[in-house]
Amino acid sequence: MKNLNLNYSAIKTIGLSILISVFFTSCDGQVKKNTALLKIAPEQLKVHEDNIVLRAETLPEFLSNPNEQDYQGNQISGVVRTVFQDKNGNLWFGTQNGLCRYNSQGLDYFDITDKDGKSITVYVIVEDKSGAIWIGYGGGIAKYDGAYFTNYYEKDILIKSGLWSMVADKNGLLWIGTTQGVYTFNGEVFTHFEIPEGKADPTRGVSTSRMVHSIMEDSTGRMWFGTNGGAYIYDGTVLTNISEKDGLRSNFVNSIIEDRDGNFYISTAHSGLFFYNGDTLTNITDAILGADTGIETLLEDQKGTIWFGSKGRGLYSYDGKDFTTYQIEESTTGPATFQIYEDQQERLWFVGFGGAYRYENGNFVNITRNGPW
């Protein structure tokens, strides 16, 4: 692999909104950078959950298709962007209609709003090592401590850039992917993390040259970033790029996961799914999908099976040798799946346009406000 090495200097807090970068080229041609970065403190707004909670049964029906008038099962939301189960067993859903949580008390919605008081779309939900739940949405992030939601707003990082991905690493540091790059957040200040610029994808409704579609921490503590310039790996000192020059065939990377054997799967927006063993890249979907099919979300389940959704709304699993194709009976085209998720009961969830589904006993079950939970 040809590596792009960026050596990061120690970051110091400074008092001005300035990013200072000094580039130089070493004798071996590697690009190195010494950087002093501003740490930006966001605005905060704290509210108790009792002041914003809404019981599901008090809300109007959410339709899977707003153009149809007939009863559609009272969906959790017409569009579910993400699902997450915390260590206490609570199920959280990020939707086009905001945030909701299911537990033994039932289904609750939380009326979280952005800086302008408008309803939000939740893109990602994670839990840090302290048990705090972090909600990433268009225009901000919120932290739930079990009683209070603390909303964090920053006009340039979150509101103008737009949050797209987020992960809490093993140390509790939050990594945030936006349309304008990566930032870290320690609960007090945002710090910019520089990643080289790629290209905007003209086939997508939202795309920029600095787009960060996904972030993942591997078993060794390295951070992986899916960008429009390929995949990037940060080991704490060096930033390494995997892209078309290495055989990726498309620099538009959607998702990255690590399997139980320490290998990686990299999904691309236009050229299928790649297997990466740390040395070589192999496209594994050409035979079943063709060379130009985009792959979206990825998951390895507890049995070691890889699940993924294609841009054409197909759902597939891969056991290392064979592929299986799945179809949700309620739809002739299958779901447009934003996320595939496995909960603590080893149940598989598929969420996206049309609501939430769970795969049980060989069938896809539509999970509505009324369950089955």
Side-chain angles (χ1 to χ4, degrees), residues 4 6 8 194-198 209-210 227-229 232 239 241:
L4 173 65
L6 300 182
Y8 292 85
E194 182 67 20
I195 290 181
E197 191 170 355
S209 60
R210 296 186 179 277
T227 80
N228 283 352
Y232 283 91
L239 189 69
N241 178 233

Side-chain angles (χ1 to χ4, degrees), residues 42-92:
E43 296 181 53
Q44 298 184 27
L45 176 63
K46 192 171 184 178
V47 59
H48 195 278
E49 62 176 321
D50 290 346
N51 294 325
I52 59 172
V53 67
L54 301 169
R55 295 293 298 173
E57 55 267 24
T58 68
L59 297 173
E61 178 185 355
F62 284 140
L63 306 179
S64 59
N65 185 343
N67 297 316
E68 294 183 8
Q69 298 303 315
D70 293 337
Y71 178 72
Q72 298 179 53
N74 203 8
Q75 300 296 326
I76 295 170
S77 173
V79 181
V80 180
R81 304 285 311 201
T82 187
V83 56
F84 176 78
Q85 188 174 33
D86 65 30
K87 66 181 183 181
N88 295 318
N90 300 306
L91 283 166
W92 297 83

Side-chain angles (χ1 to χ4, degrees), residues 315-373:
L315 288 174
Y316 305 87
S317 66
Y318 175 63
D319 63 5
K321 294 180 179 179
D322 300 315
F323 290 90
T324 303
T325 303
Y326 299 84
Q327 185 69 51
I328 291 181
E329 294 181 0
E330 287 82 354
S331 172
T332 58
T333 58
T337 306
F338 286 121
Q339 185 189 22
I340 304 172
Y341 181 79
E342 186 174 24
D343 66 20
Q344 294 163 11
Q345 292 75 41
E346 298 186 11
R347 302 178 301 179
L348 290 172
W349 293 78
F350 300 80
V351 299
F353 285 111
Y357 292 83
R358 208 167 54 223
Y359 187 62
E360 298 177 345
N361 301 317
N363 296 306
F364 289 93
V365 179
N366 183 205
I367 308 302
T368 70
R369 291 180 181 176
N370 302 320
W373 295 102

Side-chain angles (χ1 to χ4, degrees), residues 178-194:
T178 76
T179 60
Q180 298 301 319
V182 175
Y183 296 84
T184 60
F185 185 58
N186 63 2
E188 297 180 357
V189 292
F190 291 99
T191 303
H192 185 251
F193 181 85
E194 182 67 20

